[in-house]
Each structure stands twice: as structure tokens, then as C-alpha cells.
């Protein structure tokens, strides 16, 4: 069996339904399916991609021992947005060998521990429908090199990206109001961070032990409150550059922890990239891109 089309009349896939179908290469779960039983596709060693429909609310360890499975598309808000535990999450459902997850645009949030331990994950697509990233959502995703957080996200939870040791840069979108404790702790390859004006609080050790950090751009006119301790604990701030609004340099020079940065400077024109883009298509074969003006931009 190399391919299978599951009709829309099917509402559940039972335990071990396609067990050991070693030549099956791909599978699409239709929107009519609400549950997938334990081991349903276990041992499908040639399966490389799978798409989960938006109505699925329950998946047991359905894809265990699918060693070739590297790409997973999930359109179900119930699956991505639920609260998982360290030993029961997408890594256990699909395997830690998955390198790419694509999240459907009807998903509203990423739950606690959802991608925790997905050690082979290199890329993730997060749609604009997502408003929150839960605690430990990407904990120990050691191969994740970059992530784009959409402007719709307003909160990043406790230890959300902790120990993502390959992550080199993060731009936190305008709209996020709080960054949880240890959110990016131990991201040892992280060299730069951009914090928007919308962020009002940063949790304890949110960027702790980010040993490669050399540049922080902070658009907040008021230095953020650090909850219960230092946001940059175990980071040598002396050689680190901090760029802040020109009218706020004095405030940062006296603010707790922010004053420990070795060099505090006004935000440079070349760093001013926090703009929203609107793309419209007036007619066929024409595209017009517009954006708001930015104060201090060089051109």
C-alpha cells in the first residue's frame, strides 16, 4: 500500500488501523476525523509527510516508529493549543525526528509543552491567528535556528524557548506585552534581540545564560519591569550593546539591570525596522507595497 485516501465519511481512525504499512509515503487526515487511535500509523517506515485535519481533537501515539516522517502539517487548533506534559506532546506523537511543522491559520494558540523536546525541528510556521505561545512550548528544540513570531502574539510563556541552543536571533513582534521567566534562557547561540515598545514586563532570567548575546534593541520608552530578579542573569553585559529610544537613554542608564550594559546608545536609523507592511494588488501583474513612515530612517 503506497497511498490512501480517507473519505469525509470517516470520523475516527482506530488503533493500529494502518500498522506496519511500510510502503505508505503520505497521508492526509480529512476534516471529518475527530480522533486517531494509538499506533494507527505505527511502523509506516516510508511515511514522509502527514496532514492533520482541523476537526481532530485526540491523537494517541499514532505515528510511533515512523522513522522517515519529517514534515507535519496540523490544522487542528485542539491539537496545537492544548496543554501537554513533558512526556506527552507532539514529539511523542510524531517522533523527535520531524524537522518541519506547519501550523494551519485557524490555530489560535500554541499550548504548554507542545513542541518540547522536538530535537530535530529546524523550522516552524506560526500563522497570524496565534495569539499566545505557552510555557515550555519549544523547550529544548536544539536544532531550531530561527523563528518568526507573528504580530498577533501577545504573550510568550515561561521557558517558551528555553535551551534552543541553535537559535541565533529573535525579533519579538509589536503586540507582545509580557515575556515570561526563562523564556529564552540558555539560548547559547543567540546574538541579538529586538524588543518592541509594547513589552511592559520581562520575567526573571528571560534571557539568562544567553552567552553569545552582543546586541539588544529595545524600543520601549520606559525601561521594563524585571520580575523577581534579573532578565539577563549569567550574561556578561559589559561588552553588550543596548540601543534604546534617544529620549530614554538617561532612564536606561539608571534603571535596574539595564544600567549594567556596557554601551547604551540611541537606536540607529539602520535598526529601525519595526514597520507593518500592507500589500495590495490593484490589477493583474501589478503589486503595490506601502508602509508607514519611520522617524529617523535614512531613506
Amino acid at each position: 500500500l503506497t497511498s490512501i485516501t480517507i473519505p469525509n465519511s470517516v470520523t475516527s481512525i482506530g488503533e493500529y488501523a494502518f500498522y506496519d504499512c511500510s510502503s505508505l509515503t503520505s497521508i492526509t487526515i480529512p476534516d471529518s476525523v475527530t480522533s486517531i487511535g494509538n499506533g494507527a500509523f505505527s511502523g509506516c517506515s516510508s511515511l514522509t509527510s502527514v496532514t492533520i485535519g482541523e476537526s481532530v481533537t485526540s491523537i494517541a501515539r499514532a505515528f510511533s516508529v515512523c522513522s522517515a516522517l519529517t514534515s507535519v502539517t496540523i490544522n487542528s487548533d485542539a491539537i496545537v493549543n492544548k496543554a501537554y506534559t513533558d512526556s506527552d506532546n507532539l514529539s511523542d506523537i510524531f517522533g523527535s525526528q520531524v524537522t518541519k511543522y506547519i501550523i494551519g491559520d485557524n490555530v489560535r494558540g500554541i499550548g504548554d509543552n507542545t513542541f518540547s523536546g522536538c530535537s530535530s525541528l529546524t523550522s516552524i510556521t506560526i500563522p497570524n491567528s496565534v495569539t499566545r505561545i505557552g510555557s515550555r512550548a519549544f523547550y529544548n528544540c536544539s536544532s531550531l535556528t530561527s523563528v518568526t513570531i507573528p504580530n498577533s502574539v501577545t504573550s510568550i510563556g515561561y521557558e517558551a524557548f528555553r535551551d534552543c541552543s541553535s537559535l541565533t536571533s529573535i525579533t519579538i513582534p509589536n503586540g507582545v506585552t509580557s515575556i515570561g521567566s526563562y523564556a529564552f534562557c540558555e539560548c547559547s547561540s543567540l546574538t541579538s534581540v529586538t524588543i518592541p515598545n509594547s513589552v511592559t514586563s520581562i520575567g526573571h532570567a528571560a534571557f539568562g545564560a544567553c552567552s553569545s548575546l552582543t546586541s539588544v534593541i529595545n524600543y520601549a520608552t520606559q525601561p521594563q519591569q524585571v520580575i523577581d530578579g534579573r532578565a539577563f542573569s549569567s550574561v556578561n553585559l559589559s561588552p553588550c550593546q543596548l540601543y534604546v529610544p534617544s529620549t530614554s537613554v538617561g532612564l536606561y542608564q539608571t534603571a535596574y539591570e539595564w544600567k549594567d550594559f556596557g554601551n547604551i546608545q540611541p537606536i540607529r536609523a539602520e535598526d529601525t525596522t519595526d514597520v507593518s507592511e500592507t500589500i495590495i494588488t490593484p490589477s493583474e501583474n501589478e503589486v503595490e507595497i506601502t508602509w508607514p513612515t519611520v522617524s529617523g530612517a535614512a531613506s
Side-chain angles (χ1 to χ4, degrees):
L1 185 66
T2 58
S3 64
I4 183 73
T5 300
I6 300 174
N8 286 328
S9 56
V10 173
T11 58
S12 67
I13 299 174
E15 294 185 352
Y16 304 101
F18 298 94
Y19 175 77
D20 209 18
C21 291
S22 58
S23 297
L24 189 66
T25 58
S26 67
I27 186 73
T28 297
I29 311 298
D31 290 339
S32 59
V33 172
T34 59
S35 65
I36 304 173
N38 188 50
F41 297 93
S42 181
C44 294
S45 54
S46 298
L47 189 65
T48 59
S49 64
V50 63
T51 298
I52 305 297
E54 64 182 43
S55 300
V56 175
T57 59
S58 173
I59 301 181
R61 298 195 178 195
F63 297 87
S64 60
V65 203
C66 292
S67 55
L69 183 60
T70 57
S71 178
V72 177
T73 299
I74 306 178
N75 296 309
S76 169
D77 179 64
I79 297 302
V80 183
N81 204 7
K82 69 172 290 189
Y84 291 91
T85 65
D86 287 340
S87 59
D88 175 27
N89 51 40
L90 296 192
S91 178
D92 299 294
I93 293 172
F94 298 102
S96 61
Q97 80 288 338
V98 176
T99 60
K100 181 179 182 180
Y101 279 96
I102 300 172
I103 308 303
D105 59 10
N106 64 316
V107 174
R108 299 188 305 274
I110 297 176
D112 298 348
N113 295 291
T114 301
F115 297 96
S116 179
C118 290
S119 56
S120 299
L121 180 64
T122 58
S123 66
I124 180 78
T125 300
I126 304 175
N128 283 323
S129 56
V130 171
T131 60
R132 73 177 188 93
I133 297 176
S135 298
R136 299 170 68 91
F138 294 93
Y139 176 76
N140 197 27
C141 290
S142 55
S143 298
L144 189 64
T145 57
S146 65
V147 60
T148 300
I149 302 174
N151 287 333
S152 55
V153 172
T154 58
S155 66
I156 300 172
Y158 172 83
E159 293 186 330
F161 293 91
R162 183 169 186 170
D163 203 18
C164 291
S165 55
S166 297
L167 195 64
T168 57
S169 65
I170 187 73
T171 299
I172 298 166
N174 195 25
V176 171
T177 58
S178 65
I179 301 172
S181 297
Y182 304 97
F184 298 95
C185 185
E186 297 173 352
C187 292
S188 54
S189 298
L190 190 65
T191 59
S192 64
V193 174
T194 301
I195 303 171
N197 185 46
S198 57
V199 172
T200 57
S201 67
I202 301 175
H204 174 66
F207 300 98
C210 291
S211 54
S212 299
L213 193 64
T214 59
S215 173
V216 175
I217 302 172
N218 193 340
Y219 285 95
T221 55
Q222 293 291 326
Q224 294 92 345
Q225 176 188 8
V226 177
I227 302 172
D228 296 331
R230 297 189 300 143
F232 299 91
S233 60
S234 301
V235 176
N236 182 10
L237 296 180
S238 296
C240 197
Q241 302 281 328
L242 174 62
Y243 298 98
V244 300
S246 58
T247 56
S248 305
V249 171
L251 294 176
Y252 280 89
Q253 287 174 338
T254 59
Y256 176 72
E257 188 168 22
W258 297 108
K259 66 182 180 182
D260 297 333
F261 279 80
N263 191 7
I264 303 176
Q265 297 290 333
I267 291 174
R268 303 168 301 184
E270 58 265 34
D271 293 324
T272 308
T273 58
D274 189 19
V275 298
S276 59
E277 295 184 356
T278 303
I279 300 177
I280 59 175
T281 54
S283 61
E284 187 177 3
N285 299 326
E286 290 185 10
V287 176
E288 179 180 342
I289 304 177
T290 62
W291 58 87
T293 57
V294 177
S295 175
S299 62

